[in-house]
Amino acid sequence: MTSFSRAWRLPSVKLSLGILAAVLLVAVFGGWLAPYDPIAQNPRLRLLGPSGEHLLGTDYLGRDVLSRLLAGAGLSIAGAVEAVAVGLILGAVPGLASIFFGRGFEWATARVADALLTLPFVIFAIAVAGIVGNGLHQAMAAIGLLLAPVFYRVTRTAALSFTRAQYVEAAELLGASRARILRTHIAGKVLPTIAVTAAGASAAALLVVSSLSFLGIGVEPPAPTWGGMLASDLGYLHQRPLAPLAPALVIMITVGALNALADAVRDTTGLHTESEELHVR
């Protein structure tokens, strides 16, 4: 039985995958599943509690909370995926290249990665938004840049263990180029490690996306996001004290499922990752 087969047999992995599959479906089809227009305002229905017509009640502008929760999944998840994709490209590619392209390249990329690791996610994203404009893509590019060092270090560490393998040495003796060795003999070997790291990075990215939308950065109102809904609900706790519970729960459950999946696969496969170092700074 392979390591991934053992991971699949774990109840936590099955539960996490089920949750993530449901979240993905909502992210893709949430706009169609929403029973009401998520941005339609009706002041006469403002701050209503749960009912048969509005299962999760309405917000301070009379908008259906369930509809906004479903429609907001797309932007929240898309932002996290975009940030992870940027971090993976900017981190994994130099991490692989640093193995074969000389000490100078290795030293330069390692110093850049160390410098980026010292920067706080949210403050850096706010600074970038202030310089280049308040947009989702700008904010996610900034977050992806700070995720890149994690992918760099994980990819480099995983790839180092294969550089002295006999098949790699044989390929070098036969005259294979460094690029070909990386592409055919090493890149595929480190993909499982990168995938586990990506799961942990997605959890961190979703937290950062929610934090930024909570502050009004990245996605501007009235477009619904989980973090934006949480921010608006906190202003009306006296009228609806349980209103922030719905967006907070979906964020917690999604992040928990991503972390549980990454931890379970890492523990059963013995993959080396640095996900414990990945946190919202």
Side-chain angles (χ1 to χ4, degrees):
M1 182 183 297
T2 66
S3 298
F4 285 103
S5 298
R6 290 197 301 270
W8 169 249
R9 293 171 65 90
L10 293 175
S12 60
V13 171
K14 294 181 179 180
L15 178 60
S16 298
L17 288 174
I19 292 173
L20 295 176
V23 171
L24 182 60
L25 286 175
V26 172
V28 175
F29 301 107
W32 289 280
L33 296 174
Y36 298 94
D37 185 345
I39 62 174
Q41 303 178 15
N42 190 341
R44 294 180 303 169
L45 302 178
R46 61 192 302 269
L47 297 174
L48 295 180
S51 64
E53 293 185 356
H54 301 280
L55 295 180
L56 295 179
T58 60
D59 66 3
Y60 69 105
L61 293 175
R63 299 172 296 194
D64 182 65
V65 172
L66 177 59
S67 298
R68 290 182 61 78
L69 204 63
L70 293 172
L75 286 174
S76 300
I77 299 301
V81 170
E82 182 178 354
V84 172
V86 171
L88 193 155
I89 294 171
L90 295 181
V93 175
L96 283 173
S98 67
I99 302 298
F100 284 107
F101 287 92
R103 298 296 296 272
F105 183 86
E106 174 189 346
W107 183 89
T109 53
R111 298 295 75 75
V112 171
D114 291 342
L116 291 175
L117 280 172
T118 64
L119 298 175
F121 280 101
V122 176
I123 295 177
F124 183 72
I126 292 174
V128 170
I131 295 173
V132 302
N134 184 14
L136 179 63
H137 299 301
Q138 295 93 314
M140 292 308 98
I143 299 306
L145 183 63
L146 297 190
L147 289 174
V150 177
F151 285 100
Y152 172 86
R153 296 173 68 177
V154 167
T155 303
R156 174 175 166 75
T157 302
L160 277 172
S161 62
F162 299 107
T163 56
R164 295 181 179 86
Q166 290 184 352
Y167 56 85
V168 173
E169 294 178 351
E172 291 178 336
L173 291 174
L174 291 173
S177 66
R178 291 176 176 177
R180 180 177 177 81
I181 292 173
L182 284 174
R183 185 175 64 253
T184 60
H185 297 294
I186 295 180
K189 302 291 185 181
V190 302
L191 281 179
T193 303
I194 294 175
V196 174
T197 304
S202 298
L206 181 57
L207 283 177
V208 177
V209 170
S210 301
S211 300
L212 292 176
S213 57
F214 181 89
L215 298 173
I217 297 171
V219 180
E220 298 182 359
T225 59
W226 292 344
M229 292 178 63
L230 185 59
S232 61
D233 289 338
L234 289 177
Y236 298 89
L237 288 177
H238 179 71
Q239 294 90 337
R240 287 197 61 203
L242 297 180
L245 189 60
L249 276 178
V250 295
I251 295 172
M252 291 171 56
I253 291 172
T254 306
V255 170
L258 287 167
N259 282 327
L261 179 63
D263 290 344
V265 174
R266 185 185 65 245
D267 292 342
T268 55
T269 58
L271 295 174
H272 176 84
T273 69
E274 297 181 7
S275 58
E276 65 272 11
E277 297 183 8
L278 187 61
H279 56 277
V280 180
R281 299 189 295 275

